[in-house]
Amino acid sequence: MSDTRQLHLGAFMRPVSLHTGAWRYPGAYADANFNFAHIKSFAQKLEAAKFDAFFMADHLAVLNMPVEALRRSHTVTSFEPFTLLSALASVTERIGLVATASTTFDQPYHVARRFASLDHISGGRAGWNIVTTANPDAALNFGLDDMVDHDERYVRAREFFDVVTGLWDSFADDAFIRDVDSGIFFDPEKMHVLDHKGPELKVRGPLNIARPPQGRPVIVQAGQSEPGRQLAAETAEVVFCSPRDLAGGKALYADIKGRLEAVGRKRNDLKILPAAFIVIGDTVEEARQKRLKLDSLVHYDSAIASLSIALGHDASGFDPDAPLPPIPETNASKTGRSQVLKLAEEEGLTVRQLAQRYGGYAGLAFVGTADTIAEEMAVWLNEEGSDGFNVVFPYLPDGLDDVVDKLVPELQRRGLFRTEYEGTTLRDHLGLSRPENKFFR
Amino acid sequence: MSDTRQLHLGAFMRPVSLHTGAWRYPGAYADANFNFAHIKSFAQKLEAAKFDAFFMADHLAVLNMPVEALRRSHTVTSFEPFTLLSALASVTERIGLVATASTTFDQPYHVARRFASLDHISGGRAGWNIVTTANPDAALNFGLDDMVDHDERYVRAREFFDVVTGLWDSFADDAFIRDVDSGIFFDPEKMHVLDHKGPELKVRGPLNIARPPQGRPVIVQAGQSEPGRQLAAETAEVVFCSPRDLAGGKALYADIKGRLEAVGRKRNDLKILPAAFIVIGDTVEEARQKRLKLDSLVHYDSAIASLSIALGHDASGFDPDAPLPPIPETNASKTGRSQVLKLAEEEGLTVRQLAQRYGGYAGLAFVGTADTIAEEMAVWLNEEGSDGFNVVFPYLPDGLDDVVDKLVPELQRRGLFRTEYEGTTLRDHLGLSRPENKFFR
């Protein structure tokens, strides 16, 4: 089975579930987000299922929420990505380890070192999710009064990428001779001093770490804005995105893949993996009931606030147990409102259920049996909606076990997913080539 | 055996040996400094021997050396501390993990997060070696043209320490309720917003990580300058230092311990652990021969440069195989020169051997049998020269195996070192109490 005809699967693991009711689901580990033993067991199960990667999002602040939502949120505290992924590197052997690092609030020398080090420790399994950090609260933790402008963040991100990738190429792959007899440890002629002087950054180099096993850790990008898509086309090898449905997925896929040629890259040099929330039952109806049960664990006060935002209209006075009443139309929120109305109609949800859906997880979801979900995923792959998915688990461990024990075998049976890792590095799993060194060919 | 009468032992592990000939010693792993499998085996052996801690120094640049020395140095590249120690955290259970982080070239929010995360992942085994970074090449990797002044670095370090320790106390120990029935995950009244606004740093907080298991990771300091000693007295719980001999050790010990009372701390709140290079033989003569063999692996050209520096006099014209000739006295280098002359006389070394000693490792060394070294260490402990040692291994793995298999059992036989870990955290090993939360008592 050739690479292009199979799915790539990542696991979105920070927080371990994005669903705000996850920690309350029957059988869930309430502390899963912050318990190393649990997270280790998740990583080992995902590896046994041959997942491409374990993906850590990140936040550089406690998220700013109303206190009623905050006190109910299991996402408030969590491990820092490099410490967690490095700890997982020594208790796993094949699964990729994707860490988020901010180009706005970190230094390229630090970022280059940590990813190079993780790539060495893990034998070539590191990936860098480049983010520019949009949360204004993060700025306050780094000495600023206001967040840096969006466009300025992307200008710095582009230069930051050049510096980090330049630092990774500080040494030729064969620079380290370690000739005991002559006493020559390495060849200084195979060491490159970057000496970068740009508008945003000045970094001399060289990096004090040998070239990473993958040449470069895999570059991941999640931005969907215009500069985000362009940065992805120029630099990313994996795009993590959030289309709401297949039509949205296909549009985004065509747009980003279309930009590649203009920058001299091939379509296959970049994989597009939308976030997918997966709830599996023995029947489709059982899966739907599981989801309704999970949604019901979202507190109504914070849920109704989320619905109000989605509608662009205060929903707090609506009868929670009745269908959504007619709402006067405004320009501000056409898309959001039409999505809510569509959802209310399709699933016949009450105001409470709609609110809890928006307060829980309202993105792209596959809810059904292993068979129906595998079928849907095949459609996404065949119709160029995606190259795979970044799986969001509804609750842990059961929601993860269902994917690993039921969905993955069904995908494998259909030839849509690998049954063994064919290589050892994250690049191998994703079918990405190892970049040449910029300075030594 | 009470804590005060036993040694504390750390292992200095970056580079795995400071001796520049280490990688060429017969049987040595030439790539030990940068091979995770080797380093994992070292950490596990040190843990089996009940060492207090595994200590990672750090550099934020490739060290600036003449090219002849550089190409022969095994210290050029190495793992980044957090990635390495986190990877070791999941394959060890008790040994402390001390990482170096710079207050000059990092951000307190990042540093606080990474240590808190490592402390959680390791179950309370993290320590922070606070450095201000003196190497001017580091500044060039972080956008500066010149190194920040020494005094200014220490002003920032002191404030940085206050911010990091304040961030660690962002949550009360009992803030996380995780009450599944009520849906309350944590109590926002037990979350403290630091809102630090100082001359050097502005950091809002709170940290997005629960309070570390140790309350605070253990604070380690290595500066020996006047501001370094004062910072240590105010903040440190372990001082890592480099006295040349027992007299020097006792003077430093008395000075730093003496400063504690003035800042309201007890003598036992801080442990002093000098670096000690240890070479063990079955006889004292065999140990000396091992050391001479190791020194002989240092390249003469770079060795003679080190000797010239130590003498304050160009030694490149001296006959390598003759004793040191008389040298005209200058004021600039009295101490260094008298040390060289003393060493030449005591061990009867030629110019070549002296040069290779200075080019290899010229700090405090214990060279003898397990019995003679245990005896010397007891004298240091009893005469208040130190509270233990940070062991520098001559070569790996054999030099480490000798310490673990020969010296440690002898120290244990004499009651000078633990035979089992009594607690689970690095604080437990060091006999340090868990600090109260600054904001929640």
Side-chain angles (χ1 to χ4, degrees):
Chain A
M1 193 65 54
S2 82
D3 172 73
T4 48
R5 305 193 46 204
Q6 288 200 330
L7 292 160
H8 296 285
L9 294 179
F12 187 97
M13 297 303 290
R14 182 180 197 265
V16 292
S17 175
L18 282 169
H19 195 291
T20 52
W23 66 279
R24 298 178 68 195
Y25 197 81
Y29 300 146
D31 65 344
N33 208 38
F34 205 52
N35 177 316
F36 181 69
H38 292 333
I39 294 183
K40 174 177 157 182
S41 75
F42 302 152
Q44 291 176 336
K45 286 177 185 177
L46 291 164
E47 180 168 80
K50 319 300 176 195
F51 263 60
D52 292 68
F54 184 105
F55 180 94
M56 281 281 283
D58 197 30
H59 297 291
L60 294 174
V62 168
L63 296 182
N64 191 359
M65 324 180 193
V67 72
E68 272 308 308
L70 185 65
R71 69 198 301 214
R72 295 170 187 281
S73 172
H74 68 133
T75 67
V76 172
T77 72
S78 170
F79 296 112
E80 182 275 339
F82 282 95
T83 43
L84 180 63
L85 292 179
S86 302
L88 291 176
S90 54
V91 294
T92 54
E93 294 180 354
R94 286 291 177 269
I95 193 167
L97 302 163
V98 179
T100 298
S102 169
T103 54
T104 304
F105 298 111
D106 214 325
Q107 293 280 340
Y109 202 84
H110 286 317
V111 168
R113 273 187 94 202
R114 285 198 289 270
F115 279 106
S117 191
L118 178 61
D119 207 47
H120 280 285
I121 288 170
S122 65
R125 295 187 281 139
W128 174 22
N129 177 37
I130 305 185
V131 300
T132 67
T133 308
N135 176 4
D137 283 347
L140 305 179
N141 290 331
F142 293 90
L144 302 179
D145 293 320
D146 294 301
M147 179 49 76
V148 182
D149 278 350
H150 182 272
D151 287 356
E152 194 182 328
R153 294 204 311 272
Y154 274 87
V155 168
R156 180 178 159 104
R158 188 64 184 78
E159 188 178 335
F160 199 109
F161 168 84
D162 288 338
V163 174
V164 169
T165 52
L167 288 170
W168 283 335
D169 287 346
S170 291
F171 293 93
D173 287 315
D174 60 352
F176 293 88
I177 305 158
R178 300 193 187 97
D179 182 344
V180 169
D181 291 338
S182 68
I184 305 299
F185 194 78
F186 83 103
D187 180 355
E189 298 204 350
K190 294 188 172 172
M191 178 177 85
H192 179 79
V193 178
L194 185 65
D195 214 9
H196 174 89
K197 287 175 185 147
E200 298 274 339
L201 299 161
K202 199 161 64 171
V203 180
R204 184 168 178 275
L207 196 65
N208 54 0
I209 296 200
R211 191 162 192 248
Q214 295 186 102
R216 288 181 189 178
V218 172
I219 304 296
V220 181
Q221 253 272 306
Q224 289 181 56
S225 66
E226 172 59 33
R229 291 177 189 209
Q230 191 55 30
L231 181 67
E234 292 174 16
T235 66
E237 297 171 300
V238 172
V239 166
F240 171 50
C241 52
S242 313
R244 294 210 154 240
D245 53 26
L246 180 58
K250 287 164 76 169
L252 190 64
Y253 191 95
D255 178 88
I256 294 177
K257 293 267 179 172
R259 291 173 192 244
L260 291 174
E261 202 176 341
V263 296
R265 301 179 66 198
K266 296 193 193 112
R267 280 174 78 82
N268 226 2
D269 291 347
L270 182 155
K271 313 292 173 184
I272 297 183
L273 307 183
F277 184 80
I278 297 181
V279 186
I280 299 172
D282 289 336
T283 63
V284 172
E285 182 53 26
E286 187 194 45
R288 287 187 181 146
Q289 290 303 322
K290 282 183 176 184
R291 190 183 200 188
L292 287 172
K293 166 79 182 164
L294 175 62
D295 284 350
S296 77
L297 299 171
V298 178
H299 191 255
Y300 189 65
D301 289 353
S302 45
I304 199 71
S306 301
L307 180 62
S308 299
I309 291 166
L311 284 171
H313 185 95
D314 180 7
S316 61
F318 295 171
D319 178 355
D321 298 310
L324 198 65
I327 303 163
E329 194 160 323
T330 63
N331 279 325
S333 58
K334 262 190 181 162
T335 319
R337 183 216 307 270
S338 69
Q339 280 161 353
V340 179
L341 294 177
K342 190 171 161 220
L343 178 62
E345 189 180 309
E346 277 177 5
E347 300 193 29
L349 302 181
T350 64
V351 167
R352 185 192 304 278
Q353 288 170 322
L354 281 169
Q356 286 171 327
R357 175 67 51 84
Y358 279 86
Y361 186 86
L364 175 66
F366 296 118
V367 180
T369 66
D371 189 60
T372 65
I373 296 173
E375 188 62 36
E376 284 185 273
M377 288 186 161
V379 171
W380 276 73
L381 188 65
N382 293 334
E383 299 194 6
E384 299 203 327
S386 77
D387 298 307
F389 296 94
N390 219 338
V391 179
V392 177
F393 300 102
Y395 37 77
L396 287 292
D398 291 357
L400 185 148
D401 290 345
D402 284 346
V403 169
V404 160
D405 297 336
K406 296 176 182 167
L407 178 60
V408 166
E410 178 58 30
L411 293 171
Q412 289 169 331
R413 202 184 61 72
R414 293 168 180 243
L416 289 170
F417 193 60
R418 69 175 69 83
T419 53
E420 287 299 335
Y421 290 114
E422 288 170 22
T424 61
T425 70
L426 178 54
R427 285 189 177 278
D428 292 338
H429 308 337
L430 291 166
L432 298 167
S433 59
R434 185 176 190 271
E436 288 197 328
N437 192 308
K438 292 188 210 182
F439 311 114
F440 302 99
R441 302 206 174 208
Chain B
M1 192 67 54
S2 81
D3 172 73
T4 48
R5 303 191 51 205
Q6 288 200 328
L7 292 161
H8 296 284
L9 294 180
F12 186 98
M13 297 303 290
R14 182 180 198 266
V16 293
S17 175
L18 282 169
H19 196 291
T20 51
W23 67 279
R24 300 179 66 196
Y25 197 82
Y29 300 145
D31 65 345
N33 208 39
F34 205 52
N35 177 315
F36 181 69
H38 291 333
I39 293 183
K40 174 179 157 181
S41 75
F42 302 153
Q44 291 177 335
K45 286 176 185 179
L46 291 163
E47 180 168 80
K50 318 301 176 196
F51 263 59
D52 292 67
F54 184 105
F55 179 95
M56 280 281 282
D58 196 29
H59 298 290
L60 294 173
V62 169
L63 296 181
N64 191 358
M65 327 179 191
V67 71
E68 272 307 309
L70 185 65
R71 69 200 298 216
R72 295 169 186 283
S73 171
H74 67 132
T75 68
V76 172
T77 72
S78 171
F79 295 113
E80 183 275 338
F82 282 96
T83 42
L84 180 63
L85 293 179
S86 302
L88 291 175
S90 54
V91 294
T92 56
E93 294 179 354
R94 287 290 177 269
I95 193 166
L97 302 164
V98 180
T100 298
S102 169
T103 55
T104 303
F105 298 112
D106 214 325
Q107 292 280 340
Y109 202 84
H110 286 317
V111 169
R113 273 187 93 200
R114 285 197 287 271
F115 279 107
S117 191
L118 178 61
D119 208 45
H120 280 285
I121 289 170
S122 66
R125 297 187 282 140
W128 175 22
N129 178 37
I130 305 185
V131 300
T132 68
T133 308
N135 176 5
D137 283 347
L140 305 179
N141 290 330
F142 293 90
L144 303 179
D145 292 321
D146 294 302
M147 179 48 78
V148 183
D149 277 351
H150 182 273
D151 287 357
E152 193 183 330
R153 294 205 310 271
Y154 274 87
V155 168
R156 179 177 160 105
R158 187 65 184 76
E159 189 178 334
F160 199 109
F161 168 83
D162 288 338
V163 174
V164 169
T165 52
L167 288 170
W168 284 334
D169 287 346
S170 291
F171 293 92
D173 287 315
D174 59 354
F176 293 88
I177 304 159
R178 299 192 188 97
D179 183 343
V180 169
D181 291 338
S182 67
I184 305 299
F185 194 79
F186 83 103
D187 180 354
E189 297 204 351
K190 295 189 172 171
M191 177 176 85
H192 178 80
V193 178
L194 186 65
D195 213 10
H196 174 90
K197 288 174 185 147
E200 298 274 338
L201 298 162
K202 198 161 65 171
V203 180
R204 183 167 178 274
L207 196 66
N208 53 1
I209 297 202
R211 192 164 191 246
Q214 294 186 103
R216 288 181 191 178
V218 172
I219 305 295
V220 181
Q221 252 274 306
Q224 288 181 57
S225 66
E226 173 57 32
R229 291 178 190 208
Q230 191 55 30
L231 182 67
E234 292 174 15
T235 65
E237 299 172 297
V238 172
V239 166
F240 171 50
C241 52
S242 313
R244 293 210 154 241
D245 52 27
L246 181 57
K250 287 164 73 170
L252 189 64
Y253 191 97
D255 178 87
I256 293 176
K257 294 267 180 171
R259 292 173 192 244
L260 291 173
E261 203 177 341
V263 297
R265 301 178 66 199
K266 298 192 192 114
R267 282 173 79 82
N268 228 0
D269 291 345
L270 182 154
K271 314 292 174 183
I272 298 182
L273 307 183
F277 183 81
I278 297 181
V279 186
I280 299 172
D282 289 335
T283 63
V284 174
E285 183 52 27
E286 188 195 46
R288 286 188 179 144
Q289 290 305 321
K290 283 183 174 183
R291 188 183 200 187
L292 287 172
K293 166 78 182 166
L294 176 63
D295 284 350
S296 77
L297 299 171
V298 179
H299 191 256
Y300 188 66
D301 289 354
S302 46
I304 199 71
S306 301
L307 180 62
S308 299
I309 291 165
L311 283 170
H313 185 96
D314 179 9
S316 62
F318 296 171
D319 178 354
D321 298 309
L324 199 65
I327 303 163
E329 194 160 325
T330 63
N331 279 326
S333 59
K334 262 190 179 162
T335 317
R337 184 217 305 274
S338 72
Q339 281 162 353
V340 179
L341 295 175
K342 190 173 161 219
L343 178 61
E345 191 182 306
E346 277 177 5
E347 300 192 28
L349 302 180
T350 63
V351 167
R352 183 190 305 278
Q353 287 169 324
L354 280 169
Q356 286 172 326
R357 176 67 50 83
Y358 278 87
Y361 187 85
L364 176 66
F366 296 118
V367 180
T369 66
D371 189 62
T372 66
I373 295 172
E375 187 63 36
E376 284 185 273
M377 287 186 161
V379 171
W380 275 74
L381 188 65
N382 293 333
E383 298 194 6
E384 298 201 329
S386 77
D387 298 307
F389 297 94
N390 219 339
V391 179
V392 177
F393 300 101
Y395 38 78
L396 286 290
D398 291 357
L400 185 149
D401 290 345
D402 285 346
V403 168
V404 159
D405 297 336
K406 296 175 182 169
L407 178 59
V408 166
E410 178 58 31
L411 293 172
Q412 289 169 330
R413 200 184 61 73
R414 293 168 180 242
L416 288 170
F417 193 59
R418 68 175 68 86
T419 52
E420 287 298 337
Y421 290 114
E422 288 169 23
T424 60
T425 70
L426 178 55
R427 286 190 176 277
D428 292 339
H429 308 338
L430 291 166
L432 298 168
S433 59
R434 185 177 191 271
E436 286 196 332
N437 192 309
K438 292 188 209 182
F439 311 113
F440 303 98
R441 303 206 173 210

